[in-house]
Amino acid sequence: SGRIEAEDRGTVELDSSLVANDRHGTIDADGFGATIRLERDIVGNWSTIAATMGGLVVADQSSIINAHGATIEADGRGSEVRFDRDDVDNLGRVAAEDRGTVALDRSDVENHRHGVIEADGHGSVVSFDHDHVDNFGRIEAEQQGEVTFDRSHVDNDGMIGALRGGT
């Protein structure tokens, strides 16, 4: 349970690695220009992976397991979490908040029964583009947040909705 952090235009790159972010660990790209790249990795998250204050977390061709109680989030204007050609297995929470963006491109996404994927707050966006999504949990836009599906295949046995002004 440690900390992997990129700050103030810094970059951390992990390539072909096994990453276990334990219960009290944090992976954080904090600040404009801060970047964490996960390329061809296997990532188990039991805590927090975050892009904050304009930071960027990019997973490319990786396998991501977001465990029950864990969070992956883009929090704040200009903050982005981007999944590109990944396998994303969500049992926890994946969120765009306070004008953050979560972009899932050409990925296989399984949102389990207790999993939540949400855009919460004005200007917050979760976008699915060319993805295959199996949803058994909740995918939602709240408080003027936005969730979009573009050229994606969605199998929905859960809830996809807009609440309290979301689209």
Side-chain angles (χ1 to χ4, degrees), residues 60-136:
D60 186 7
Q61 299 179 53
S62 295
S63 177
I64 312 292
I65 300 166
N66 193 43
H68 181 73
T71 299
I72 297 173
E73 66 182 354
D75 188 0
R77 180 185 294 240
S79 300
E80 183 176 358
V81 173
R82 186 181 317 146
F83 298 100
D84 188 13
R85 296 172 288 169
D86 296 305
D87 289 319
V88 180
D89 207 8
N90 182 46
L91 294 94
R93 181 171 175 264
V94 176
E97 297 181 324
D98 299 323
R99 299 182 182 206
T101 299
V102 173
L104 298 110
D105 299 321
R106 298 171 288 175
S107 295
D108 288 319
V109 180
E110 184 152 346
N111 192 39
H112 291 270
R113 186 168 70 100
H114 295 290
V116 176
I117 300 173
E118 67 180 344
D120 187 2
H122 178 75
S124 300
V125 176
V126 173
S127 65
F128 295 88
D129 188 3
H130 286 93
D131 297 304
H132 180 255
V133 180
D134 287 319
N135 181 44
F136 300 95

